[in-house]
Amino acid sequence: MTDLSHAFAAAADTPLLQVKNLTKRYGARMGCADISFDVYQGEVLGIVGESGSGKSTLLSCLAGHMRPDQGEVFFQTAQGARDTVQMGEAERRRLARTDWAYVHQNPRDGLRMGVSAGGNVGERLMAIGARHYGDIRASAIDWLGRVEIDAGRIDERPSAFSGGMQQRLQIARNLVTAPRLVFMDEPTGGLDVSVQARLLDLLRGLVREMGLSAIIVTHDLAVVRLLADRLMVMKDGHVVERGLTDQVLDDPQHEYTQLLVSSVLQV
Amino acid sequence: MITIENLCKSFTLHNQNGAVIPVMAGANLAVARGECVGLIGASGAGKSTLMRMVWGNYLAASGSIWVGDLDVVTASPRQIIALRRSTLGYVSQFLRVVPRVPTLDVVAEPLLFLGVPADIARARAADLLARLNIPQRLWELSPTTFSGGEQQRVNIARGFAHPFPALLLDEPTASLDAANREVVLTLIQEAKARGAAILGIFHDEAARDRVCDRLIDVRAFTPKAAA
């Protein structure tokens, strides 16, 4: 693990993701406007804002689910930085299977509901070339355990699982291939608080041990406080404030951020 | 190790008609290696504000705060994160952790972030928890269920797990009994002996007298107009 962290340190000076002037309009309405930022390896970036602030639009553009009207999204690949907006669909899909992961707010959008829990986890491994059944099943069992799903339920379909279990299964499915960048859209939304806590701890550990980078879109300031290194606050498609997470939450400078922070019962 | 020069701070409250409240002007102080400097002054005089500016969760309006060779006032978030991992420790008054994480892991976490192997990090955490009289049967439980004094000691153990060259201590002995207070004061003296620069707030006067080499009254930094 120590050797790994040295490798991470060496890579730490080049951003893993560089976003430049990203803009997406819906007709006359602004989705997100002229957004630029960097994400480095091992770093968690939180994006907060109310519904309609453009944070989910931004995430969709970054992950290639939606094509931005303008702007560049450079991702650091083995062959150097590549603009994922300009690359072909096949190459982007390959990135989505290997280096990226996307955790949907609704686990039904990120899982194959007709396939067993073990199959859901194994499928992503097979997509990157794993063929040995025993290894795949062992990995699936290992990951089900890490997200606290009883190995005895490996052959059940996700439709038989509770919402919290489905979300943990979605995370296992996404992380089993050791991606470098994880996009998360309200990952703890709709979960019981006890499940949220376990998930937060799991994510923190993975960031630390795997050098994972993550971009987390949420409206929950308590979640970003515990998870994000840096924060961007969005309103009406624009980034109105950005900085160190505890600085933005404890000493917000922008009028909107002050309102947002003071409106929360307890962060 | 810590050098503050001509530091100013004001709060702009946009949601209260844009009121601007100047809270600090022309603050200067320096903490050398192996030295403990105590901040004094009445409640609201700006002790915590000053500490938070050094930690970086409050923005300064102008001036500089050097911790080692990094000016926190102009540093990027990434530089501050790196500073907090390796150089600058902070024992705040309140423990803020992910619920359900065992106490032993909460204390070991700062070391894990530095790449210390898990068994060594946990051994160091166990050693500190034992010194601070947290019963071993509690180590596998989350500190969120602990009493105020126990949480405080977990917070201190976490803050002292890594031998930070610079330390911020916000009331480290508040709500502790005599025996545990003694342990904390010893930890502070050991940190000074290994060369740590410490900036602290101690309402406990006897504790202050034991560990502080100098005291600085932050009322000297109150903006004149607001007085």
Side-chain angles (χ1 to χ4, degrees), chain A residues 1-2 5 12-13 40 42-43 148 194-195 197-198 200-201 204 207-208 225-226 229-230 243-244 246-248 250-255 258-259 262 267, chain B residues 9-15 52 55-60 76-78 80-81 84-85 96-102 109 112-118 158:
Chain A
M1 200 179 98
T2 315
S5 30
D13 286 336
Y40 289 82
E43 190 174 49
E148 294 187 348
S194 62
V195 180
R198 187 73 196 101
L200 289 174
D201 179 42
R204 270 171 77 106
V207 166
R208 198 178 60 220
R225 163 87 75 184
L226 291 173
D229 299 304
R230 288 190 296 127
L244 207 57
D246 59 4
Q247 181 265 302
V248 173
D250 294 340
D251 189 15
Q253 305 294 306
H254 190 274
E255 178 175 2
Q258 292 188 355
L259 182 68
S262 65
V267 183
Chain B
K9 168 76 185 163
S10 61
F11 290 104
T12 304
L13 307 176
H14 292 290
N15 301 307
R52 286 174 189 155
W55 182 240
N57 61 329
Y58 273 20
L59 285 180
S76 70
R78 289 186 68 230
I80 295 179
I81 289 164
R84 290 177 180 180
R85 284 210 176 138
R96 205 173 233 148
V97 294
V98 178
R100 290 185 63 195
V101 177
E109 194 185 49
L112 297 177
F113 268 117
L114 286 164
V116 174
R158 186 178 154 91

Side-chain angles (χ1 to χ4, degrees), chain B:
Chain B
M1 185 69 202
I2 303 174
T3 307
I4 296 175
E5 286 164 347
N6 204 19
L7 189 67
C8 302
K9 168 76 185 163
S10 61
F11 290 104
T12 304
L13 307 176
H14 292 290
N15 301 307
Q16 288 172 38
N17 302 317
V20 178
I21 303 170
V23 293
M24 195 168 289
N28 290 289
L29 70 86
V31 188
R33 288 175 206 276
E35 189 183 33
C36 177
V37 172
L39 297 177
I40 56 169
S43 244
K47 302 184 294 293
S48 294
T49 297
L50 186 58
M51 294 266 274
R52 286 174 189 155
M53 282 194 278
V54 178
W55 182 240
N57 61 329
Y58 273 20
L59 285 180
S62 61
S64 56
I65 302 168
W66 292 94
V67 180
D69 51 10
L70 185 71
D71 178 7
V72 175
V73 174
T74 55
S76 70
R78 289 186 68 230
Q79 289 175 309
I80 295 179
I81 289 164
L83 182 81
R84 290 177 180 180
R85 284 210 176 138
S86 60
T87 308
L88 180 64
Y90 182 29
V91 177
S92 65
Q93 284 195 64
F94 304 101
L95 184 68
R96 205 173 233 148
V97 294
V98 178
R100 290 185 63 195
V101 177
T103 295
L104 197 62
D105 293 340
V106 165
V107 175
E109 194 185 49
L111 293 170
L112 297 177
F113 268 117
L114 286 164
V116 174
D119 51 343
I120 295 174
R122 289 178 131 241
R124 168 82 181 141
D127 175 48
L128 277 162
L129 288 169
R131 276 188 76 181
L132 286 156
N133 301 305
I134 301 287
Q136 192 166 356
R137 65 190 155 78
L138 299 181
W139 294 359
E140 288 304 319
L141 304 179
S142 163
T144 48
T145 56
F146 291 4
S147 73
E150 284 166 343
Q151 289 198 8
Q152 170 117 12
R153 281 177 275 149
V154 172
N155 219 4
I156 289 164
R158 186 178 154 91
F160 281 87
H162 170 62
F164 287 106
L167 263 177
L168 305 173
L169 305 176
D170 192 351
E171 297 261 24
T173 57
S175 72
L176 295 187
D177 59 42
N180 284 309
R181 179 173 164 278
E182 197 56 39
V183 175
V184 173
L185 293 177
T186 307
L187 281 171
I188 296 172
Q189 284 166 333
E190 287 173 6
K192 285 172 66 179
R194 66 167 168 78
I198 302 176
L199 185 63
I201 300 173
F202 305 87
H203 280 149
D204 172 353
E205 280 184 38
R208 192 195 287 165
D209 293 344
R210 275 268 299 281
V211 295
C212 291
D213 301 291
R214 281 186 297 130
L215 299 177
I216 290 176
D217 191 334
V218 297
R219 281 173 299 185
F221 310 145
T222 305
K224 296 294 172 280

